């Protein structure tokens, strides 16, 4: 029997596109739980929001977290609800404006 393809949410795809434009940091969790490792890294490195943290739990699993003004969130939640985060609204507006600016520069 043929396997059905999973439906991709447009809202989540848009959120993923927005998250690709913000700074990303890759770390390993070591002995700590992934969220604890992310919090410690944010504290020691002095990372300012918005930022995406990729925490490697083991060789197969990587957890993704979004660092916002309001705190630390799971990246999947943020992809689905990106409109709730003011810092991502600015990023979304910049990504929408960027193609128009490129056309204006090329035509000018």
């Amino acid at each position: 029997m043929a396997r059905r393809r999973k439906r991709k949410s447009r809202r989540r795809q848009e959120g993923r596109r927005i998250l690709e434009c913000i700074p990303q940091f890759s770390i390993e969790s070591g002995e700590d739980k992934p969220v604890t490792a992310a919090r410690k890294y944010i504290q020691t490195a002095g990372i300012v929001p918005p930022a995406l943290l990729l925490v490697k739990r083991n060789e197969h699993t990587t957890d993704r977290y979004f660092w916002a003004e309001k705190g630390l969130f799971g990246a999947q939640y943020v992809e689905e609800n990106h409109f709730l985060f003011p810092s991502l609204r600015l990023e979304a507006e910049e990504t929408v404006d960027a193609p128009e600016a490129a056309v204006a520069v090329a035509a000018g």
Side-chain angles (χ1 to χ4, degrees), residues 35-79:
V35 72
T36 305
R39 289 183 187 282
K40 285 181 179 178
Y41 184 76
I42 290 167
Q43 188 73 31
T44 57
I47 298 173
V48 293
L52 193 64
L53 283 98
L54 307 173
V55 183
K56 192 167 177 120
R57 193 185 317 173
N58 57 40
E59 61 183 282
H60 304 293
T61 311
T62 301
D63 293 333
R64 298 167 53 236
Y65 297 101
F66 176 71
W67 176 233
E69 294 85 4
K70 301 175 186 178
L72 194 62
F73 296 88
Q76 184 173 341
Y77 172 80
V78 176
E79 286 173 357

Side-chain angles (χ1 to χ4, degrees), residues 10-23:
R10 285 192 179 155
R11 183 195 301 176
R12 187 159 174 210
Q13 284 179 325
E14 183 182 348
R16 186 172 284 256
R17 230 182 343 264
I18 293 169
L19 286 182
E20 287 175 358
C21 300
I22 63 173

